[in-house]
Amino acid sequence: AQLGQFGCDCKVGAPWRRMTSLEQVEPPDPAKIKLTEEGFQQIAAQRNASRMATFVERVIRHSGGWVSDTDSLLSFSRDLTATNSQLPYSEMFATFAENPEWASWPASV
């Protein structure tokens, strides 16, 4: 058998192609990623407060709330994306339960 450019006889699956130096894998989009623990961790791993703020605002809107102070949301998002932060998704909801001043939800009936 003739070996391919990677030193193997690769016949299974889709054809391989080399990525050029201009091609990059796009990070998950915080405006589209699922609102799950996995989605949260993927956005947190990007260490980008603005992208985390987009994700957090989606979570708040999904739960019926709204953001009233985007600067404070961004500050909260910076805390979530800090390199030493290991805050799980559930802790974000615990923060929401404390009624942060920068977000609101309708009063329970």
Side-chain angles (χ1 to χ4, degrees):
Q2 186 175 1
L3 297 181
Q5 67 186 31
F6 298 108
C8 67
D9 185 11
C10 303
K11 294 180 181 177
V12 179
W16 290 91
R17 68 179 182 87
R18 287 187 178 185
M19 289 181 67
T20 68
S21 60
L22 298 177
E23 291 179 312
Q24 294 181 358
V25 176
E26 291 293 321
D29 184 344
K32 296 177 183 175
I33 197 165
K34 289 184 178 182
L35 301 177
T36 61
E37 173 76 34
E38 181 181 347
F40 172 79
Q41 294 302 335
Q42 287 181 23
I43 299 303
Q46 295 175 28
R47 305 283 187 234
N48 182 306
S50 178
R51 292 176 69 83
M52 178 57 80
T54 298
F55 181 85
V56 172
E57 185 169 12
R58 283 185 59 222
V59 171
I60 291 170
R61 288 177 185 260
H62 184 76
S63 64
W66 60 92
V67 173
S68 55
D69 181 351
T70 55
D71 289 337
S72 294
L73 168 63
L74 190 57
S75 178
F76 175 71
S77 298
R78 280 188 197 104
D79 292 343
L80 292 177
T81 57
T83 55
N84 60 351
S85 176
Q86 296 296 319
L87 185 68
Y89 190 55
S90 60
E91 288 297 317
M92 181 175 61
F93 286 99
T95 298
F96 298 161
E98 295 171 2
N99 296 314
E101 292 182 12
W102 48 268
S104 300
W105 287 263
S108 298
V109 178

